[in-house]
Amino acid sequence: MSHELDPKVGRWYRRLDDEQLFKVVSIDEDEGLVEIKTVDGEIEELDSTEWVELDLEAAEAPEDYVDHDEEEDEDEDEEKAADEDDDRPARGARDDWDDDDDDDDLDDDDDDDDDDDEDYDSDR
């Protein structure tokens, strides 16, 4: 039986024939594939024809469902953020400053600034 539900990444669905809950984890439109993950963690690929033939309804994630892959991703993101915080120099630390480069930039800008000053003086 076909349905009107388009697959959406992160959305949960229920198969009406066997009551199986699953979440869409990826969609490859070029290949016409929908990757789903069941509550017990099994990954399955469906082609677009198979998807349309499923008898589905939209569903909510199970209350007690924990996606261990998502937890690992969140943990990695938190670790990266903590590492980035550790890499930043302390406020007021001048070790990372390179005064020589800044002086070179200022010298280059001084030539342009002189021209601007002359224009400004002549307008007075």
Side-chain angles (χ1 to χ4, degrees):
M1 176 177 195
S2 66
H3 58 81
E4 297 293 323
L5 293 175
D6 290 328
K8 304 266 192 241
V9 173
R11 188 169 287 172
W12 284 86
Y13 300 90
R14 175 179 288 113
R15 290 182 178 173
L16 297 177
D17 58 346
D18 63 4
E19 296 295 314
Q20 183 183 36
L21 282 172
F22 65 89
K23 177 174 75 168
V24 174
V25 293
S26 71
I27 300 170
D28 184 340
E29 293 179 12
D30 294 335
E31 298 291 325
L33 297 175
V34 178
E35 187 175 66
I36 64 171
K37 185 174 188 177
T38 62
V39 175
D40 60 3
E42 290 185 40
I43 302 290
E44 184 179 340
E45 277 189 352
L46 306 171
D47 66 36
S48 57
T49 304
E50 290 173 310
W51 176 267
V52 172
E53 293 301 317
L54 290 174
D55 192 13
L56 298 175
E57 68 179 3
E60 296 292 322
E63 286 183 30
D64 58 345
Y65 178 75
V66 177
D67 190 341
H68 297 289
D69 291 335
E70 286 181 5
E71 278 185 349
E72 289 174 11
D73 291 343
E74 289 174 10
D75 290 344
E76 289 175 10
D77 291 343
E78 289 173 9
E79 288 174 12
K80 285 180 186 176
D83 288 344
E84 289 172 3
D85 288 342
D86 292 343
D87 291 343
R88 282 192 239 152
R91 179 174 251 167
R94 295 187 55 108
D95 292 341
D96 291 344
W97 293 10
D98 187 357
D99 291 336
D100 293 336
D101 287 343
D102 292 341
D103 290 342
D104 291 342
D105 292 341
L106 291 175
D107 291 341
D108 292 341
D109 292 341
D110 287 343
D111 294 338
D112 295 336
D113 290 341
D114 291 341
D115 294 337
D116 292 340
D117 291 341
E118 290 172 12
D119 292 339
Y120 179 74
D121 291 336
S122 63
D123 291 341
R124 284 192 217 175

